[in-house]
Each structure stands twice: as structure tokens, then as C-alpha cells.
Amino acid sequence: MLRRRLTRLFGGDERRVDSRTIYVGHRPCPATEAFIPPKFCDNRIVSSKYTVWNFLPKNLFEQFRRIANFYFLIIFLVQVIVDTPTSPVTSGLPLFFVITVTAIKQGYEDWLRHKADNEVNKYLVTVLEDGLRTRKESEKIKVGDVVEVVEDETFPCDLILLQSSREDDTCFVTTASLDGESNHKTHYTVPDTVKDLDSLNATIECEQPQPDLYKFVGRMHIYRNDHEPAVRSLGPENLLLKGATLKNTEKIYCVAVYTGMETKMALNYQGKSQKRSAVEKSINAFLLVYLCILVSKALVCTTLKYVWQSKPGQDEPWYNEKTQRERDSNLYLKMFTDFLSFMVLFNFIIPVSMYVTVEMQKFLGSFFITWDKDFYDPEIQEGALVNTSDLNEELGQVEYVFTDKTGTLTQNNMEFIECCIDGFQYKYRDAGTELDGFCVTDGPVSKLQQKAGREKEELFLRALCLCHTVQVKEPTGQLREQVDGLGLGLGRGRGLGLGLGLGLGLDGEGLPQEEQTGFIASSPDEVALVKGAMKYGFTFLGLESKNMKILNRNNDVEVYELLHVLNFDPVRRRMSVIVRSKSGDTLLFCKGADSSIFPRVRQEEVERIRMHVERNATEGYRTLCVAYKQLSEDEYAQADAGLREARLALQDREERLLTIYNQVETGMSLIGATAVEDRLQEEAAHTMEALQGAGMKVWVLTGDKMETAKSTCYACRLFQRGTELLELTVRTLEEGGRKREERLHELLLEYHRKAVQDAPPVKAGGVTSWSTANQDYGFIIDGATLSMVLNSSPDSNSSLYKSLFLQICQNCTSVLCCRMAPLQKAQIVKMVKNSKGSPITLSIGDGANDVSMILEAHVGIGIKGKEGRQAVRNSDYAVPKLKHLKKLLLAHGHLYYVRIAHLVQYFFYKNLCFILPQFLYQFFCGYSQQPLYDAAYLTMYNICFTSMPILAYSLLEQHICMEILLDNATLYRGIAKNGMLRWGPFLYWTLLGIYQGLLFFFGVRYLFSNPALQDNGQVFGNWSYGTIVFSILVFTVTLKLALDTRHWTWINHFVIWGSLAFYVFFSFFWGGIIWPFLKQQRLYFVFANMLSSVSAWLVIILLIMLSLLPDILLVVFRKPRGPRAPQNKPVEANAGAPRSPRSSARPLLMRTFSDESNTVI
């Protein structure tokens, strides 16, 4: 890293200029010039965090930034420096254990990153050097090297395509590892490059590295002997990105332009901002409370010590006279030292081992999601993925769900449904059911003709066959024969009127399977439209040497020269092609969203198509409008010159191209529109219903049209028939005929009165039910109106608009935001996340346009869909289908939260029980800082004796089984808003700890009021006193956890009874041997001697029973309510069904404990 930074600092002018110059093959251009090779970074990829040399200091620095670790380090140093009552080992060993375990975990994770880096960096690639093909490691590639890549090989760096084995000078690429799109993309060689690359003298001038995957500007200067250098433009179509894979192409040659950490893939690798769960914030709050308790205890003991010593004879008794040095020491320094000593004595009230237990619980608990077979999808042969385990419990606290529509609520599996040509609807029908291919529903009924003119039909179908970037996959030998045979009958008898379905393959029986896989495209929409044209008799045969071939319904092959492609972009929302027919006509075909096409065509043509588009959108179909324009020679020459000039520009290339596009795409003629269906995801409606039943508000954020999105919301049951829709869109703003700002203000106030002021109050944690008599509201807003709400003009009250908008949305059952840009999706999530109460938000999506909202939300879920894996890579969790979200939240999320909440409360409780007797003991030992417990017990209490049972509980506990949690979504509301880590439950656990600590100490003290506790008349000493208290403590806190356990497995039995057995064994072992390394052995035979007393046995058993009595009484006498009622419903409903072994084995436990766990745990 240091070398790379020095290179960037001293590596020439690269930092000061906006472009870089690359010499292809490291040859000087022209050959007579002096060649000074420019310096660029090497091709090593470094995603690891540590090296062998910096691991220890860097990891320790990061760990001691945590306040608990730093606190225990200070305590350890105080024990080393100051004469304290306990050994430094008591705090040093637990701290060492925590630091070591965390370092091993982080070191292992970084080792995996190193391993992955080495696999990439040591990968062998073929490089052309001085005419020879040499194999070298990927990390040794330099900018300017000419690299050979063969089919199915991954590109080692960012490359410019120079030569391809395909005749049409193209290659096909999949970018699944970059954006997840498995569709093949077409890339083109640089025109006019010589076939013999050894003789190629050229330089590439391009922009400096930047992370945008879809943007690249550059130009290549090709030098020939005694000729002016030829200049060719370079764009994204010439750039092959590191991580992408070569497909359907035998071999290509390229030149490296960006290497190593300057590749677009590396620049896109950015660490996600650290997300903190609500549980972590609760831990920090509780930690501060216990820190205050600790300081208070130390202050009280220090004060009382000096009050007690101020009495005559107490400061210096006859048996403990002070030395002269002690008498001369500063009083205030002595008081401060005593205060530190008390802090050290009581420091175990702060549970340092809780942090490592929480980390282990999160890390190990995340495997249950990846192991869940219900999340496995056989179609993609993948299950769920956990990218971060820090947010497991947050899955049980979600209040707002923000979902994308296309690919999330719907399948992103496009099917051509119908089209409209010149105002007439053409709906394809199966040959067996209907011969007609059209029905007139949208066109004027008064017209005599029953369909559009044949010329318009053919023009429309040609537009579908030409206006796209689809490629035909090269067939194999047997496949080619089938396709050739198929071509003979494709157009036979296939008019748009009679006999539409009689052609071979149109009912799906004649066409072989390759018809489904024979097209390569970057978007499923484009393939659906090309296949739709096939249904009506026009077949796209492919692109060869810039010539597009079409087989029309008369079985004639039409050839069009492809002159220019005006690529689709989300700003224009359309794409165009300019082609030249054999007759010499230059045509522009354009397709795009209605909002983008309608302003650019003749307005008299719009009304005939608009009704069709709006009806299709209402039915939930995706619609595109198709237009064309015949260009004159002058118009084309002007457009051609402008496009070529813009494509050679290094600065502002995108803006210049956009200007030319807008100039060309005007004055077009509207031909028709298409309707493509994107079906709902499996169980989408059921999942949304369950989430709403669990108390979550669902918002749909989509870039689609309002009508399409609205129909999807109805299909998913987010909107019901009785739901009153409050619409805030450009259409409603323009209805009043006044300024948009005034109308916006008026509508916001009206909707606020309806949904907020006049609506009955909603109970906390609940949502309005559809079964109630109250009116339900749904809210709809579009991107343009949202911009007005969030970015109002300075003279308007923008904060008022935002506040009104938020209040309206929060009182609606569902919200639909349509025509959203990716940034607006993130703005919506951020606005809700930062609103009053800081609700927990979840975003779910499947495409690159959802990444911003996934990163913004508290929890981001990616769906492994067809739009790519960029959402999956940036998410916290990923699932194959939307239906899996229900179990992820209602079952896994619920259980994770209950487990970790119990873990946190239990840790504070057991440490309070541990230290309170130590504090009380000071009142009876003259505040002399005498420890009650042996150093071994102090050290091993949190590490060994009580750590494993709570870890097993926090991984395996199911206070309510998963089936019941899934059947009763309302159970999710019981833990909403961090219900189990509020101050009420925390106070309960604290009071329980105080009660048991008092009982331990004073119960044993009452036992010691009888001086003769042994048969031989000897009395117990202070170490026996502490050992009895400690024994009661260990058994009580462990059995308390056993009482709280609802779901017993062999692991729970093993760790709970095993921990108690280990404590007994260790006490015998530790006290039964004389250890040579100990200066003083306090517990020698103390434990065995203690157990020889019947009185000790009696008091241990009695105090354990009394300590657990409140829990037992609470369980026995508490009225069963809450989750019990919903739990019984599925059991009764399925009375005749066979019961699962687990549910039949413990019905009593389920009935008895499931309710109490919601408030006590």
C-alpha cells in the first residue's frame, strides 16, 4: 500500500491531468520519438486489511478503541502498578481471552481475504511480448500489455478490445461478478486496427480511473508509415471490465488500460458504513448504568473506610502498626489509591466477556440462516446468504419495509402479451382457440377497417425487430439444421388477420427449446419484444458485419445496414437505432416509455395510443411506445457528423451525445405500443399480508409507471378494495389549474386532515386492520412531486411539507412511490429512518438501482434475481425469493432478538449477583479491600463456569416454535420497539440480581452465626465463607437459565449440567493439590472440608431454592395470556393432523412458559 501511495505521489503528472496516455505493447509512437514509459500501479488486488507485520499493532489498536476493552486494560494496569487486593491475573486473563478470541476471528477472516487475493493475483494469463506468447501471473500485468483471453476466461484487468476471432469483430461478455447480470453483452473491437498486432503502433488517450461501470471515454491514435494518425473513439462498448467473463467467442486480444486497484471493480469495492443495531445501543446504555453503580460502590467504600478509621484505635490497631513510610504518605494520594483498589475489587460488575459472547453468538447464529433448507431455491441452486452477522437481532425489530417492484414483488420474467398498432389492439391467441389475431377495443368503433393497414403493421414489426441490442446465439451443427428447417415455415400463411396462429411454432409446439435460449440480450424486455414480433411473422435473424437481417412473413430476408445505436439511458428513458434499407432510405426507429416518447411525436397520433397504454398499465403490464422517423440525406449527414464528433470528445462526451440524441429524436411518427407482463413473485401477496399482520408498514418504491405499480399493489393485497387512495402526483397537481406549489400545499393539508386529524388513534405497535370499521388509506406519490416536497423552493416552507408528508404516510396502511430515481429511494428511507422514534427500517430489492436504499436502511436485503447481484453484494442478507422474507423476519428475526436480549440481561444480572456479596463483605472486614472469592474463582467465573450455558441458550432457544411464529404474525408485535431491552425489563433483572445477592450473603452469614459447623467442633474461615457464597451463586445463575430454557436439546443438557460438574471438579482439583507456583494457597482442601458439613449442604440447597422462588412463583401464579391464545389456534385447526414430535413432547412447557418469556426474559 505504501509503495502504491508513493507511486501515486511521485509518479509523474497523472495526478494533475484528467487523462492518461497508454502505449499499446509499450512501443513508442511514432517509432522515432524517445520513449519514456509512464508509471502506473501494478495489477495486484488487495482486499485484505492486515499484513504479517502490522496485524498485531493494528488489531490491538482497533480492539482497544472499544470502551469496555480499554476500561479493562486500565484496570489491569492499575492492578500491576498499585498494591490492589486482587492479582492482575484476575482481570488480565479474561481480557487476554477476549482479545485473543477476537483477534483469531478477525485474523481468520483476513486470511480468507488474503487467500482470495492470491487466487486472483497468481492466476496465469497469456501476454504478447515481442511477438511471443508468454504466460505470466496476473499481478505482473502492466498498463499497455497486450493480453490474450480465451472463451470462459475471466478478464484480469480493464481492457480495450483490439481483435476478435468472430467475423463481425465483436465478442460476448457476461458481467455476473460485477453487476450480476447473466445476460450476454456485446462489445466491439476498435475499427481499423491491423490484424498483425506486432506491427500495431498506437496510443490510447483515456480518462483517469473512475468507478462508474457504464461510463468510459477515450480515443485511440493509430500510426501508419508516413500517414496522419487515424483517430478512433473509445466508449463502454470497447471496454472489457476486470471480473467479467468471455462467452460465445473463441479468442480475443486486448490491451490493458486500468490495472490493480485502479480497475473499475476495485474502485467499486467500498466498505459499507458500519450499521449498529438497537441492541448495541441498549448494551452501551446499560453499561453506563453499571459503571455508575461501580463508581458509587467504590466511593461509598472509600468514604466509609476513612470514616471508620477516624475513630480512635481503628486506624492503627496494636496488631497492625503502620510503618514510618505509611505514616508520612500523602492522605489524598492514599485515598485515591484506595478508591482505585475498590474499583479493581468491584470491576467484575462490568461484563467484559459479554462482548466476545455476543460476537460468537452473532457469528455462529448466522449459520442457521444459511443452513435453513426452506431458503434453498432449486432453480438457482442457492440458499440464503449472510454478508454481515452484526444485525441478526435487527431482523426482529423491523417497523418499515421498503420494497422494489420489478424483480422483487414481480418475477422480472417478461412475456409479450399484446400490442397496439395505429390505435388497434392485437392480442395473440393460440391457434386452437381463436384464429383472429386482433380485436378492436381501443380504436374508434366508427371506422370500417377492422385492423391497421398492412403497411403500418409491417413497419411496427420491423421496428420491434430492429430497435434493440439483441444478438442471436451461434447455433451448433445439429441446432443449425433445426433452425434452418424452422425458417422455411416461419412466415407461411401468417397475416395479422386470418390464420395468425397457423404458422409453425406459434403455439409453442413447433419451436424447439433453443427458441427460448437463442437470443442474447442485456434486458429481458428486449428478448420478449423480439419473440413477440416472431409470433406475428417477423423473425430477427441476427447481425452480421453491421447488417441486420429480418425474415418477414412472406419468407423474404430483409437486410438493413446498422448505422448508429442511440443507447438507452435512465434519463432519456428510450433508445433508438438508425438503419439504411436496401432501397437507400435512412430510418430512425425509437422505443421508450410513454412519458419520453409522447412529447417527441405528432400530438394527433398520441390520443389513439394513450388509451391503450393507460389500460395496459392499469392491468399491470409494462408498456413501451414505438415511433419512427425517415431521415433526409442532410438530416442524417448532420446527425452522423455530430455523433462522430461527440464520440471522439474526452470531456463532456455524455452531455454532447445527449444533445445530439435529443436533436435527432424529434418530429417522429408514433406507430404503436407494446404490453409485456411481469408476473408476481411466488407467494408475494401472502408475504405482504403476513408482514402487515406483524405490524410492519410496507412502502413500494419503484421507477415504474403509477398505473402498473398500483395494479401490482392491489394484486399483492397492499391496497384493498375499501382502501381510499390519496394521490399526490403531477396529474393531481395540475387538476386545479393553479400553481403547482399552491396545489401541493392544499392537497397536503387536505390529506393530513383525512388521514391524521380525523383518523382514530392507532395503538402502539399495531397497524390499522382491514376488518375494522375505520377507513384505510393508501398513499401514492411520484418522483417529480417528491422532489417538490423534499426540495421545495426557498420561499416555501419545505420543513412543513416534509412533516405533513411524513405524518400522512405514517398513518396509511401502505405507500406507493412511483417513477423514483435510485437517489430518491434512498432519500425516502433516510427520511423515515430519521423521523420521530427512529423506527427500524428494512429495504429489499434485486437490482443495481436498489443499492442506495439497501445501504441506507438499517437492514438491507438483496434478492438473487435476474437484474444482477449488485444488490446482493451490497446487502446485509440475501435470499433467493421474496417469500423467504416472511420466515427470515417472523421466525429467525424474532428468535434472534429474544435470544440476544436474554443474553444481555442475563450477563448484567449474573455479574451483579457476583459482585454484590463482595461489596457487602467490605462492611464486615473494616473496608480493608479483602476479597471474598479466591483469585481462581474471580478469573474463571465469566470465562468457564457460566459462559457456555448462556452461549448455548442464545444459539438454540426457541421460546415459541417456528411453525407457530409463522402462523401467527401478530406475535412479532410483542417484541417490537426493543421491548425486551427497555428500562422496565432491565430494572426487573437488576432487582432480581440485588435480591439474590443479598440472599446469598446474609443467608450464609446467618449460617456462620453458629460457630461450630463441623463435626470436630472447628469453625469455618473466611475462604470457606466465600466458597459457600460462590457455590450458591454458580448453581443459582445456572439453574435460573435452565428454568428460562423452553427448548431443550442435548447440547443444552450437556453445557448446563456439564458446567456445574466442571465447577465441582475444578474446586476439588484446585484445592486438593499443592501448587508449587503459588506463594499462598488459600483454598487448600477448603471445598472438600466445606462439603463435609451437613449445615453447609443444607444452606446451599435452601438458598438456591429461595433464590429461584420468585421465578417459580411467577410461572405458577401468572395468568396465561398474550401469545398463548394465538398458539392454540393452529393446534385446534389442525386437530386431525399428525402432530410433530417436538410439539407433542412439550405441550405443557409451551403453555406454561411461552407467555412469560415475552416480558421476563
Side-chain angles (χ1 to χ4, degrees):
M1 290 299 290
L2 178 62
R3 181 161 64 87
R4 186 174 289 110
R5 285 174 183 171
L6 289 174
T7 302
R8 287 178 179 174
L9 191 62
F10 302 112
D13 296 334
E14 187 185 342
R15 292 171 55 88
R16 295 192 291 273
V17 295
D18 295 327
S19 63
R20 57 166 57 183
T21 301
I22 298 155
Y23 294 84
V24 177
H26 308 288
R27 285 182 286 275
C29 299
T32 54
E33 288 185 4
F35 177 59
I36 303 172
K39 294 181 180 179
F40 302 108
C41 77
D42 57 30
N43 199 36
R44 282 187 303 130
I45 288 291
V46 181
S47 64
S48 55
K49 195 175 182 180
Y50 307 107
T51 64
V52 175
W53 309 110
N54 72 9
F55 174 73
L56 203 59
K58 193 172 182 180
N59 185 265
L60 287 176
F61 173 73
E62 287 177 350
Q63 289 207 58
F64 284 118
R65 287 169 67 184
R66 297 183 81 165
I67 188 166
N69 291 346
F70 184 70
Y71 162 78
F72 267 84
L73 177 66
I74 297 298
I75 291 292
F76 173 70
L77 294 175
V78 168
Q79 285 180 294
V80 171
I81 297 166
V82 179
D83 182 20
T84 55
T86 55
S87 165
V89 176
T90 57
S91 59
L93 194 61
L95 179 65
F96 176 76
F97 173 75
V98 170
I99 296 294
T100 304
V101 169
T102 308
I104 289 171
K105 174 178 171 282
Q106 293 177 351
Y108 173 71
E109 289 174 349
D110 203 62
W111 176 75
L112 292 178
R113 286 191 285 266
H114 271 284
K115 192 177 176 185
D117 288 347
N118 281 333
E119 283 181 11
V120 174
N121 294 332
K122 303 297 181 185
Y123 181 77
L124 291 177
V125 295
T126 304
V127 178
L128 296 184
E129 290 182 343
D130 302 323
L132 300 175
R133 298 168 70 254
T134 58
R135 300 283 283 174
K136 62 164 64 174
E137 293 174 347
S138 171
E139 64 182 0
K140 294 180 180 175
I141 292 177
K142 299 188 291 292
V143 172
D145 281 350
V146 177
V147 181
E148 176 188 290
V149 183
V150 297
E151 187 172 5
D152 293 325
E153 204 169 55
T154 301
F155 302 128
C157 55
D158 290 352
L159 306 160
I160 291 293
L161 180 59
L162 298 177
Q163 205 175 94
S164 171
S165 59
R166 290 176 59 90
E167 293 179 2
D168 57 358
D169 291 332
T170 63
C171 73
F172 295 113
V173 168
T174 59
T175 55
S177 60
L178 293 170
D179 56 14
E181 294 185 14
S182 56
N183 300 306
H184 291 55
K185 296 181 174 64
T186 309
H187 288 260
Y188 302 90
T189 59
V190 181
D192 302 331
T193 52
V194 292
K195 294 297 180 186
D196 182 13
L197 293 178
D198 293 333
S199 62
L200 177 65
N201 283 319
T203 60
I204 293 173
E205 192 179 353
C206 61
E207 63 186 359
Q208 293 291 6
Q210 50 97 359
D212 192 337
L213 295 177
Y214 309 106
K215 185 180 177 186
F216 175 75
V217 291
R219 57 189 171 212
M220 179 183 253
H221 300 264
I222 303 171
Y223 296 87
R224 295 188 176 88
N225 295 332
D226 303 325
H227 288 89
E228 281 291 316
V231 182
R232 296 290 176 262
S233 69
L234 303 176
E237 68 278 4
N238 308 114
L239 183 69
L240 306 172
L241 300 177
K242 178 183 175 68
T245 306
L246 183 66
K247 291 288 183 184
N248 210 36
T249 309
E250 184 183 339
K251 185 192 297 183
I252 59 171
Y253 292 95
C254 325
V255 59
V257 285
Y258 303 127
T259 52
M261 300 307 288
E262 291 182 343
T263 59
K264 289 184 180 288
M265 186 180 80
L267 293 174
N268 272 280
Y269 178 77
Q270 54 183 7
K272 298 192 286 286
S273 60
Q274 189 66 33
K275 295 181 179 181
R276 292 178 61 211
S277 70
V279 170
E280 275 190 64
K281 296 169 187 174
S282 296
I283 290 174
N284 290 339
F286 297 163
L287 204 63
L288 286 174
V289 171
Y290 271 67
L291 200 58
C292 293
I293 293 173
L294 170 63
V295 173
S296 304
K297 283 182 176 181
L299 282 172
V300 166
C301 287
T302 306
T303 306
L304 291 178
K305 175 178 181 176
Y306 283 92
V307 170
W308 186 73
Q309 287 182 355
S310 65
K311 296 176 183 177
Q314 299 289 2
D315 186 30
E316 195 173 349
W318 59 268
Y319 56 82
N320 191 19
E321 291 187 1
K322 292 182 179 180
T323 62
Q324 187 59 41
R325 185 180 176 184
E326 286 175 332
R327 290 192 186 100
D328 295 340
S329 62
N330 186 283
L331 175 65
Y332 295 106
L333 182 61
K334 187 76 173 70
M335 288 175 71
F336 179 68
T337 309
D338 282 332
F339 172 76
L340 290 179
S341 297
F342 280 118
M343 287 281 286
V344 167
L345 189 63
F346 302 142
N347 82 85
F348 292 95
I349 198 172
I350 305 295
V352 66
S353 59
M354 180 180 68
Y355 282 94
V356 75
T357 309
V358 166
E359 275 200 28
M360 289 172 68
Q361 189 266 351
K362 289 182 175 183
F363 176 68
L364 297 174
S366 62
F367 286 106
F368 290 115
I369 293 177
T370 56
W371 290 338
D372 194 326
K373 291 181 180 177
D374 290 343
F375 291 152
Y376 182 78
D377 183 39
E379 186 182 336
I380 61 172
Q381 296 188 338
E382 289 184 45
L385 177 70
V386 178
N387 290 328
T388 174
S389 58
D390 292 338
L391 302 170
N392 292 343
E393 65 278 5
E394 209 83 326
L395 294 170
Q397 294 294 294
V398 175
E399 296 172 61
Y400 283 85
V401 175
F402 299 92
T403 174
D404 177 41
K405 185 186 80 70
T406 306
T408 305
L409 292 176
T410 60
Q411 294 179 6
N412 201 16
N413 187 10
M414 308 302 174
E415 182 184 350
F416 186 90
I417 299 297
E418 63 180 71
C419 61
C420 165
I421 307 174
D422 201 24
F424 293 89
Q425 179 193 26
Y426 291 80
K427 195 158 190 173
Y428 171 70
R429 287 285 179 265
D430 199 319
T433 59
E434 187 180 328
L435 292 180
D436 258 352
F438 68 90
C439 56
V440 182
T441 56
D442 298 315
V445 182
S446 60
K447 284 194 176 182
L448 294 176
Q449 66 186 80
Q450 294 297 300
K451 57 191 174 84
R454 183 182 179 89
E455 189 180 336
K456 274 285 180 74
E457 291 171 359
E458 294 189 350
L459 186 63
F460 176 81
L461 294 171
R462 282 191 189 95
L464 293 189
C465 284
L466 294 171
C467 188
H468 56 71
T469 56
V470 175
Q471 297 281 339
V472 177
K473 192 171 184 180
E474 291 179 344
T476 56
Q478 181 185 357
L479 181 58
R480 188 177 288 110
E481 291 175 13
Q482 293 175 348
V483 173
D484 290 343
L486 178 65
L488 297 175
L490 271 171
R492 198 167 294 150
R494 217 184 295 180
L496 281 173
L498 300 176
L500 178 67
L502 297 177
L504 175 62
L506 290 185
D507 57 358
E509 294 176 4
L511 284 174
Q513 179 61 28
E514 59 271 10
E515 190 263 330
Q516 299 293 325
T517 56
F519 293 115
I520 300 170
S522 57
S523 165
D525 292 72
E526 293 205 314
V527 175
L529 294 178
V530 172
K531 288 180 179 178
M534 283 182 68
K535 290 180 179 181
Y536 295 110
F538 272 69
T539 305
F540 175 61
L541 298 178
L543 175 69
E544 290 181 11
S545 304
K546 293 288 184 180
N547 289 322
M548 301 181 83
K549 293 184 179 180
I550 296 173
L551 185 72
N552 64 25
R553 62 187 177 192
N554 297 324
N555 209 26
D556 297 327
V557 176
E558 300 178 8
V559 180
Y560 293 87
E561 182 187 356
L562 179 62
L563 301 173
H564 289 285
V565 177
L566 282 54
N567 290 318
F568 174 87
D569 66 69
V571 178
R572 288 166 56 237
R573 297 181 66 83
R574 61 185 181 274
M575 68 91 61
S576 302
V577 293
I578 301 176
V579 295
R580 181 173 289 142
S581 65
K582 275 193 171 181
S583 60
D585 294 331
T586 305
L587 302 169
L588 177 138
F589 290 107
C590 180
K591 71 178 180 195
D594 56 328
S595 59
S596 175
I597 298 289
F598 284 168
R600 301 184 165 272
V601 298
R602 300 186 183 100
Q603 291 309 301
E604 63 269 14
E605 300 169 336
V606 170
E607 292 309 315
R608 287 179 292 180
I609 307 294
R610 189 191 297 274
M611 286 186 292
H612 174 89
V613 170
E614 289 178 353
R615 183 180 56 77
N616 282 148
T618 306
E619 291 171 0
Y621 299 140
R622 294 165 67 89
T623 58
L624 284 177
C625 293
V626 181
Y628 92 106
K629 177 183 180 181
Q630 186 161 346
L631 299 175
S632 65
E633 287 296 324
D634 293 340
E635 283 177 318
Y636 173 69
Q638 185 180 354
D640 181 57
L643 288 168
R644 290 181 185 279
E645 183 184 348
R647 283 175 179 151
L648 285 175
L650 282 181
Q651 304 295 327
D652 304 322
R653 180 184 292 184
E654 302 292 328
E655 291 77 8
R656 294 188 189 186
L657 283 172
L658 192 60
T659 305
I660 304 294
Y661 292 167
N662 289 333
Q663 288 173 1
V664 176
E665 296 168 333
T666 52
M668 297 183 291
S669 297
L670 188 61
I671 319 171
T674 62
V676 175
E677 183 182 19
D678 190 3
R679 294 180 179 173
L680 276 185
Q681 282 271 14
E682 186 183 350
E683 297 181 29
H686 179 64
T687 304
M688 292 297 108
E689 209 168 28
L691 296 184
Q692 287 194 319
M696 299 177 219
K697 301 280 184 74
V698 181
W699 293 31
V700 179
L701 312 182
T702 177
D704 224 333
K705 286 183 283 297
M706 185 188 78
E707 291 78 11
T708 310
K710 193 198 295 184
S711 64
T712 303
C713 287
Y714 275 112
C716 290
R717 301 179 199 158
L718 293 174
F719 293 158
Q720 297 287 308
R721 293 197 176 189
T723 305
E724 183 179 341
L725 298 182
L726 310 177
E727 189 180 320
L728 196 66
T729 60
V730 172
R731 186 170 62 83
T732 56
L733 292 183
E734 291 176 348
E735 280 177 354
R738 283 173 294 165
K739 284 187 178 178
R740 284 188 178 183
E741 285 274 352
E742 295 175 8
R743 181 69 177 148
L744 175 66
H745 187 70
E746 179 187 318
L747 282 174
L748 281 173
L749 289 175
E750 180 188 336
Y751 293 161
H752 185 269
R753 179 180 51 77
K754 271 188 181 181
V756 181
Q757 296 172 11
D758 297 345
V762 181
K763 290 182 180 178
V767 293
T768 309
S769 172
W770 294 319
S771 60
T772 63
N774 301 328
Q775 176 64 55
D776 292 324
Y777 293 101
F779 193 76
I780 302 175
I781 189 170
D782 62 8
T785 314
L786 182 69
S787 297
M788 294 176 66
V789 171
L790 298 181
N791 310 310
S792 305
S793 55
D795 57 336
S796 66
N797 197 341
S798 60
S799 60
L800 173 64
Y801 285 177
K802 195 182 293 186
S803 173
L804 289 173
F805 168 68
L806 194 56
Q807 288 178 48
I808 295 166
C809 291
Q810 288 172 337
N811 275 50
C812 292
T813 52
S814 295
V815 177
L816 168 61
C817 304
C818 48
R819 296 294 197 194
M820 290 282 123
L823 187 60
Q824 287 181 314
K825 292 184 178 184
Q827 285 178 325
I828 288 271
V829 176
K830 187 176 183 179
M831 181 181 68
V832 175
K833 189 171 80 168
N834 297 333
S835 65
K836 186 179 179 182
S838 301
I840 304 299
T841 57
L842 178 146
S843 291
I844 179 167
D846 72 318
N849 60 330
D850 304 315
V851 169
S852 54
M853 74 170 182
I854 284 173
L855 291 176
E856 185 61 53
H858 291 97
V859 183
I861 310 283
I863 287 186
K864 300 176 177 182
K866 298 187 178 181
E867 280 194 30
R869 293 297 172 90
Q870 207 162 338
V872 171
R873 285 204 319 276
N874 286 279
S875 64
D876 303 306
Y877 302 88
V879 290
K881 296 278 177 65
L882 175 75
K883 66 177 182 178
H884 298 137
L885 184 64
K886 178 185 174 183
K887 187 175 186 182
L888 187 67
L889 298 185
L890 302 190
H892 285 287
H894 187 118
L895 293 175
Y896 279 135
Y897 175 75
V898 170
R899 290 165 182 166
I900 202 165
H902 196 288
L903 182 150
V904 171
Q905 299 279 29
Y906 179 80
F907 253 98
F908 283 108
Y909 147 80
K910 74 183 181 72
N911 279 33
L912 183 59
C913 292
F914 180 41
I915 288 303
L916 187 59
Q918 175 72 74
F919 171 67
L920 296 171
Y921 188 59
Q922 298 307 304
F923 291 86
F924 298 89
C925 68
Y927 312 100
S928 60
Q929 298 149 16
Q930 168 69 31
L932 178 63
Y933 312 117
D934 182 68
Y937 286 160
L938 285 170
T939 305
M940 299 187 70
Y941 175 72
N942 279 317
I943 295 178
C944 299
F945 299 149
T946 60
S947 60
M948 292 308 293
I950 185 60
L951 180 60
Y953 176 96
S954 64
L955 289 171
L956 304 171
E957 174 61 5
Q958 290 187 34
H959 67 301
I960 303 173
C961 67
M962 282 196 173
E963 294 83 0
I964 292 174
L965 288 171
L966 288 172
D967 288 340
N968 296 272
T970 50
L971 293 173
Y972 191 88
R973 301 187 193 184
I975 57 167
K977 297 186 182 294
N978 205 14
M980 293 174 63
L981 285 175
R982 291 185 191 158
W983 292 108
F986 175 71
L987 185 61
Y988 167 81
W989 281 92
T990 304
L991 291 174
L992 185 66
I994 292 171
Y995 161 74
Q996 292 182 354
L998 291 169
L999 195 65
F1000 299 159
F1001 183 81
F1002 289 108
V1004 177
R1005 187 172 182 276
Y1006 180 75
L1007 168 72
F1008 272 62
S1009 61
N1010 177 7
L1013 293 175
Q1014 299 187 64
D1015 295 339
N1016 58 9
Q1018 291 183 353
V1019 295
F1020 280 153
N1022 65 316
W1023 294 115
S1024 297
Y1025 187 101
T1027 303
I1028 294 173
V1029 172
F1030 191 79
S1031 299
I1032 299 167
L1033 165 71
V1034 170
F1035 273 81
T1036 300
V1037 298
T1038 306
L1039 292 175
K1040 158 71 177 163
L1041 193 64
L1043 274 178
D1044 289 340
T1045 302
R1046 310 287 179 262
H1047 180 65
W1048 285 89
T1049 66
W1050 68 266
I1051 298 174
N1052 294 92
H1053 282 290
F1054 178 76
V1055 296
I1056 286 177
W1057 313 124
S1059 293
L1060 295 177
F1062 174 73
Y1063 164 68
V1064 174
F1065 169 77
F1066 175 82
S1067 297
F1068 274 117
F1069 184 70
W1070 180 248
I1073 298 175
I1074 297 176
W1075 300 98
F1077 56 83
L1078 293 178
K1079 293 180 181 178
Q1080 50 189 8
Q1081 196 155 343
R1082 297 160 173 169
L1083 287 191
Y1084 183 66
F1085 246 78
V1086 166
F1087 191 77
N1089 197 34
M1090 176 194 80
L1091 293 184
S1092 66
S1093 168
V1094 178
S1095 303
W1097 276 95
L1098 180 64
V1099 79
I1100 288 172
I1101 295 170
L1102 188 63
L1103 289 177
I1104 290 172
M1105 294 290 291
L1106 286 172
S1107 299
L1108 297 174
L1109 189 62
D1111 286 294
I1112 297 169
L1113 291 175
L1114 197 65
V1115 169
V1116 172
F1117 292 111
R1118 186 169 184 179
K1119 291 180 182 178
R1121 57 184 174 83
R1124 178 180 178 273
Q1127 280 179 22
N1128 288 338
K1129 286 180 184 176
V1131 177
E1132 291 165 8
N1134 301 316
R1139 298 174 70 180
S1140 66
R1142 187 176 66 187
S1143 61
S1144 61
R1146 54 188 190 96
L1148 179 62
L1149 271 178
M1150 287 298 301
R1151 287 199 302 272
T1152 308
F1153 292 109
S1154 60
D1155 167 56
E1156 176 257 343
S1157 62
N1158 269 336
T1159 53
V1160 177
I1161 290 175

